[in-house]
Amino acid sequence: EQGWVAAAATSSVRLKFQVITDAATYNYDLPNDGTLTIFPLNMGDGTYTFRIMQNTEGNSYVELTSERATVILESEFAPYLMPGQFCAYTETSACVAKARELTASATNEAEAVAAICTWVASNVSYDNQKAKVLMSTTGYIPDPDDTLSTRTGICFDFASLSAAMLRSMGIPTKILTGYVGTNQVYHAWIMVYIDGTWQTAKFSVSPNTWSRCDVTFASTGATATVGSGSGYTDRYTY
């Protein structure tokens, strides 16, 4: 009911964790060293199947174990108010301390979102070399504290850091991946749900609805797409 499920397993080969409903299937990399990992129940109320899968060869996997559960969330926002595999933080994380610092004078959620997103867009630079390296790999997992420390990253890093900071302040935040622009570039961004408004040349956040914030494009100056929020195709939500 709190919007999450956790899994752990040990194996000498690669593992996957599947979260399945009638609506969609999400496949995650699962550490094979027994590390407990949190995953969001991001498809709302319903019957979920959870499967731990072990790699056999190539892209082939076999089921090790599975469980089914009926999920009734205490709030539709629950999955987006907590840490997860792509948004990892604790009370002692540096990104949480930074979020508290940035929002110390905020009087409402809109001011908190503005402070965090503006800071990330203004202080984190896009890492083109990292993007080139990761183009030929899969399974990348961003680290918000590492992005905060290096002040560089790819779009997934921008989204992960922003989401970790916002969620730690109690602001529902989705991480989305999908396609954007006329060239349909694969990309990552966030969406926030707040009780106030916040509008600038780079962002337009409305009350009581999910509003898109693309901190990566805001950082790189691609405001034509960011400002209108158009041209985005959502694929996965975390």
Side-chain angles (χ1 to χ4, degrees), residues 28-29 31 37-39 83-90 93 95 120 124 126 130 134 137-150 152-165 167 174-177 186-190 215-216 238:
Y28 301 93
D29 284 319
T37 306
I38 296 173
F39 304 94
Q85 186 181 52
F86 298 136
C87 182
Y89 64 90
T90 67
S93 294
C95 63
V120 173
V124 180
Y126 192 81
K130 183 176 183 178
L134 291 177
T137 64
T138 60
Y140 176 68
I141 298 176
D143 181 337
D145 273 0
D146 183 66
T147 304
L148 179 67
S149 175
T150 62
T152 64
I154 61 170
C155 56
F156 210 175
D157 296 313
F158 279 77
S160 177
L161 172 60
S162 301
M165 296 171 81
R167 289 184 187 184
K174 296 178 179 179
I175 298 174
L176 290 98
T177 61
Y186 202 66
H187 189 46
W189 59 91
I190 64 171
V215 285
T216 309
Y238 304 106

Side-chain angles (χ1 to χ4, degrees), residues 52-144:
I52 294 179
M53 311 292 290
Q54 179 176 273
N55 185 247
T56 53
E57 61 178 350
N59 294 320
S60 298
Y61 286 78
V62 62
E63 179 185 300
L64 291 181
T65 186
S66 66
E67 295 284 347
R68 288 171 62 86
T70 299
V71 173
I72 301 177
L73 297 175
E74 61 185 21
S75 164
E76 65 177 292
F77 305 113
Y80 311 111
L81 285 168
M82 56 171 299
Q85 186 181 52
F86 298 136
C87 182
Y89 64 90
T90 67
E91 282 295 308
T92 60
S93 294
C95 63
V96 173
K98 187 63 178 180
R100 290 170 177 162
E101 173 192 325
L102 292 170
T103 59
S105 62
T107 60
N108 55 48
E109 290 180 343
E111 291 182 3
V113 172
I116 289 172
C117 289
T118 300
W119 187 91
V120 173
S122 300
N123 290 275
V124 180
S125 300
Y126 192 81
D127 190 333
N128 288 290
Q129 183 58 37
K130 183 176 183 178
K132 290 179 181 178
V133 171
L134 291 177
M135 282 181 65
S136 58
T137 64
T138 60
Y140 176 68
I141 298 176
D143 181 337

Side-chain angles (χ1 to χ4, degrees), residues 191-213:
M191 297 189 78
V192 298
Y193 197 106
I194 63 172
D195 59 9
T197 61
W198 168 42
Q199 297 186 2
T200 70
K202 295 181 179 180
F203 302 101
S204 180
V205 179
S206 302
N208 304 316
T209 188
W210 287 103
S211 299
R212 196 181 315 275
C213 291

